Every structure is written in structure tokens, then in C-alpha cells.
Amino acid sequence: MKYTTKEAMIYSQRIAQLSKALWKAVERDWQTWIKPYDLNINEHHILWIAYHMKGATISDVAKFGVMHVSTAFNFSKKLEERGLLKFSKRDDDKRNTYVEVTEIGESLLDDMNDHYLDTKHAALDSSLPLKDIYGRFPEFMELMAVIRNIYGDDFMEIFEKGFRNLDQSLKEDEEVAYTEID
Amino acid sequence: MKYTTKEAMIYSQRIAQLSKALWKAVERDWQTWIKPYDLNINEHHILWIAYHMKGATISDVAKFGVMHVSTAFNFSKKLEERGLLKFSKRDDDKRNTYVEVTEIGESLLDDMNDHYLDTKHAALDSSLPLKDIYGRFPEFMELMAVIRNIYGDDFMEIFEKGFRNLDQSLKEDEEVAYTEID
């Protein structure tokens, strides 16, 4: 495989800056969405992962949430203190600590989903012209391939599993369906 | 333009998580690259923007660097104290503060570029299989379109200007060109 140092550097700095710009927009919208619920992004991400993986270990949470194990553990503890998450051990796996969303946690997540579109989501809004042209939201195939290469196949499997679960858990909303904008 | 609440939410949370995963990888590599130079990402980004825009105001730096104006100002001050950046006013524009990279700053940036490929860049490494298949690095057209819609045309113009400048400033490296890997 051949490439010039120069083209590699330009490509690499380009993806770095694109990624920063996208993340800063996403981060702001994510914070705005979850602010009324007194959660930070890590806490919400932990709840999301624990809920959609249906039996995640702290290290699963850390891996899929792209955070340090200690961060995953400490914020999980805070969520446990608030009664949103519970810790457990499994008889067949004494070494790992599992986290599970409590009923209170689940109803909090449902409530947050109900209000998802009450706040602005810049990346969503900015994708609508593409949806209009292509008839579907962008799939970011190249980006998905790059992320698969960075984090591995199991990361992508958990990623897709989370979204299949989200898809199922949102099923009953389908009838409130079509929203006219513009 | 029509979409279901459900598909919008799934798309939006998908791009949020992809963006977090990509940024965390990029951030780690960016930090590793610049660590020997005792700079943080914001400081390096400010130098990069000031150098490639050739006459940026603090608000240009904030906008293009996707940081608060106060962050751009405070870190610019620190760079000035280290002799890497200088502040100036222009006769034709008394209201804005311009920043310019000093000679020491320029040679620091050159030095950093010379050592760019000494450290790991996960997004670059993970893009090489795509380069191998398609003969060029990914262009992320959908992602670029989304970012253009979020930040506006002038953001993308400055973005491209920075990379055209980087392209020119790296010209003499072209002969050390082809690197064989694998």
C-alpha cells in the first residue's frame, strides 16, 4: 500500500478537524437535550448502553461508550446512588460487575426519548436536505468503515445491536409518524 | 420534507455516537502527537489556524476552531507569552485583534509536521484499507455536506483554505514521497 507522507498528513489533519467540528455540534445538542434530567453525557451514555445491551459489564460500557473504565465505574456508581442503575454479579461470571437499568431508569429514558425532538439537533437538521435529495438519511459508509477499523468488529456489533433495540423500543411511536417541516 | 420521529431519532443518535467514537480516537492521537511540544489541542489548533489563515482575528480562530471566543483569547494569550503568537491591530480595522504566528511559532509548527508520522494516527491507519480499495483516501462527502449545513459556507471556505495552505507549505516533502507499508 502506497501513499505520500504529505497526502497522509493532509488527510489525517482533515479528518481530525472534521471530527472535532462534528463532535462539538453533537456534544452541544446532546447536553441541551439531557440538561433537564440532570445527567451529563457520560451518565446518559452509560444508561443508554446498559439499557440497550441488556446486561452489560462495566468494561462493555467503557468500551462501547469510549470512556475509561474508571470513568464508566464512577459514573455508574452515581447512577446507582440515584436509583437509576443497579449492579449485579452473575453466578456464571463472578469476576465481572454487570449493570442494569432499574424501572426508574427505564422510565427516565422513555421520558427523555419522548422529548428528544423538543430541543435542537444540528446534525439531524443539517442532514434533512440530504434526506430530501436521496430519500434516506446519510449512511456514512466510509466513516463507518474507518470506525470499524479503529474499534473492531465487536464494537460495531454492539453499536448495531443498540440501534436495533432502540428501533424496537420505539415501535409504538410509529403512528405519530410523519412530520411536515419547511 | 417528511420523516418519522422514530427514524429521525435513530439517525440522530447514530451520528452522535459515531461522532463521539471518531473524536475520542482523533483526540487521543492529536494529544499524543503534540505532547512533546507542551501544547494542548486548543493551543495547537489556534497556532494552526493563525498560520494557515495568514491573518486571523480571535473570532475567526474561535469560529474555525469550534471553541468559545474566551477560550480562543485565553489560549492565544498563553501562546503570546511563550513567544509563539503575536497580537496586532490593523489600521483599517481597529475593533478586531489579529493573531499571527511568530518565527519561533512557525519553526515549532514545521518541527511538529516533520514528526507527524512518528506517532500513531488511528483514523489514518484505519483509512488505509479504503485507500487500497479505492485508490484514494475517503472524501466523506455526506459528512462534509452535513458539516457545511451546520457551520455555513464560510466555515468550509476557511477549512479548505487551511488545507490548500498546508498543501503548499508541505510541497518540498513530496520527493521523500512513497512509503511502503504492509
Side-chain angles (χ1 to χ4, degrees):
Chain A
M1 198 182 303
K2 288 181 167 187
Y3 60 95
T4 66
T5 303
K6 182 176 162 174
E7 69 176 322
M9 276 187 65
I10 291 175
Y11 169 74
S12 186
Q13 296 193 24
R14 182 181 273 273
I15 194 172
Q17 297 203 17
L18 283 177
S19 142
K20 186 184 182 193
L22 181 64
W23 170 243
K24 293 294 166 186
V26 162
E27 186 184 34
R28 191 174 48 231
D29 294 340
W30 196 337
Q31 278 165 346
T32 307
W33 169 39
I34 66 181
K35 199 180 171 182
Y37 305 94
D38 191 25
L39 292 170
N40 64 37
I41 287 179
N42 281 324
E43 289 168 339
H44 176 252
H45 209 177
I46 291 168
L47 282 179
W48 201 96
I49 295 163
Y51 180 69
H52 290 295
M53 281 187 70
K54 299 184 188 306
T57 64
I58 292 287
S59 74
D60 290 335
V61 166
K63 181 174 183 179
F64 182 59
V66 200
M67 53 183 96
H68 285 285
V69 173
S70 61
T71 306
F73 182 78
N74 293 335
F75 283 119
S76 295
K77 267 284 166 206
K78 289 196 178 182
L79 293 167
E80 190 202 21
E81 286 158 19
R82 286 173 62 179
L84 300 171
L85 203 66
K86 56 179 181 247
F87 284 61
S88 61
K89 291 278 178 186
R90 286 188 182 174
D91 287 339
D92 59 343
D93 178 11
K94 295 280 186 197
R95 289 196 305 184
N96 285 306
T97 303
Y98 285 80
V99 289
E100 203 184 322
V101 179
T102 62
E103 277 184 35
I104 304 169
E106 281 188 27
S107 64
L108 182 73
L109 286 172
D110 287 344
D111 193 28
M112 295 176 77
N113 281 341
D114 289 345
H115 292 279
Y116 189 75
L117 294 175
D118 291 0
T119 56
K120 186 173 146 25
H121 296 277
L124 172 62
D125 296 344
S126 298
S127 302
L128 293 176
L130 291 168
K131 167 93 162 84
D132 211 22
I133 293 170
Y134 296 111
R136 54 174 179 74
F137 284 108
E139 289 181 355
F140 305 113
M141 297 301 283
E142 294 171 323
L143 184 60
M144 294 279 279
V146 171
I147 289 173
R148 178 182 293 276
N149 285 336
I150 297 174
Y151 291 102
D153 288 347
D154 54 338
F155 181 88
M156 296 313 277
E157 273 163 38
I158 294 173
F159 182 83
E160 294 301 345
K161 188 183 164 193
F163 285 102
R164 276 194 305 275
N165 264 318
L166 178 62
D167 189 56
Q168 279 163 8
S169 68
L170 293 175
K171 206 132 243 169
E172 59 272 30
D173 296 327
E174 211 149 29
E175 278 102 63
V176 287
Y178 283 88
T179 311
E180 194 77 50
I181 59 163
D182 274 14
Chain B
M1 198 181 303
K2 287 179 168 190
Y3 60 95
T4 66
T5 303
K6 183 177 161 174
E7 69 175 323
M9 276 187 64
I10 291 175
Y11 169 74
S12 185
Q13 296 194 23
R14 183 181 273 274
I15 194 173
Q17 297 204 16
L18 282 178
S19 142
K20 186 184 181 192
L22 181 65
W23 169 244
K24 292 294 165 185
V26 162
E27 185 184 36
R28 192 174 47 230
D29 295 340
W30 195 337
Q31 278 165 347
T32 307
W33 169 38
I34 67 182
K35 200 180 169 180
Y37 305 94
D38 192 24
L39 292 170
N40 64 37
I41 287 178
N42 281 324
E43 289 167 340
H44 177 251
H45 209 177
I46 291 167
L47 282 178
W48 200 96
I49 295 163
Y51 181 68
H52 290 295
M53 281 187 70
K54 299 186 188 305
T57 64
I58 293 287
S59 74
D60 290 335
V61 166
K63 181 174 184 181
F64 182 58
V66 200
M67 53 183 96
H68 285 286
V69 173
S70 60
T71 306
F73 182 77
N74 293 334
F75 283 119
S76 295
K77 267 284 166 208
K78 290 196 177 181
L79 294 168
E80 189 201 21
E81 285 158 21
R82 286 173 62 178
L84 300 170
L85 204 65
K86 56 180 182 246
F87 283 61
S88 61
K89 290 277 179 190
R90 287 188 182 174
D91 287 340
D92 59 343
D93 177 11
K94 295 277 186 200
R95 289 197 305 184
N96 285 307
T97 302
Y98 285 79
V99 289
E100 203 185 319
V101 179
T102 62
E103 277 184 35
I104 304 170
E106 281 189 26
S107 64
L108 182 73
L109 286 172
D110 287 343
D111 193 30
M112 293 174 79
N113 281 341
D114 289 344
H115 292 279
Y116 188 75
L117 295 175
D118 292 359
T119 56
K120 185 172 146 26
H121 296 278
L124 172 61
D125 296 343
S126 298
S127 301
L128 294 175
L130 290 168
K131 168 94 163 82
D132 210 22
I133 293 170
Y134 296 111
R136 55 174 179 75
F137 284 108
E139 289 180 357
F140 304 113
M141 297 300 284
E142 295 172 321
L143 184 60
M144 295 278 280
V146 172
I147 289 172
R148 178 183 292 275
N149 284 337
I150 297 174
Y151 292 101
D153 289 346
D154 54 338
F155 182 87
M156 295 314 277
E157 272 164 37
I158 294 173
F159 183 82
E160 294 302 344
K161 188 183 165 194
F163 285 102
R164 276 194 305 273
N165 264 318
L166 178 63
D167 188 55
Q168 279 163 9
S169 68
L170 292 176
K171 206 133 244 168
E172 59 272 30
D173 295 327
E174 210 150 28
E175 277 103 61
V176 286
Y178 284 88
T179 310
E180 194 77 50
I181 60 163
D182 277 13

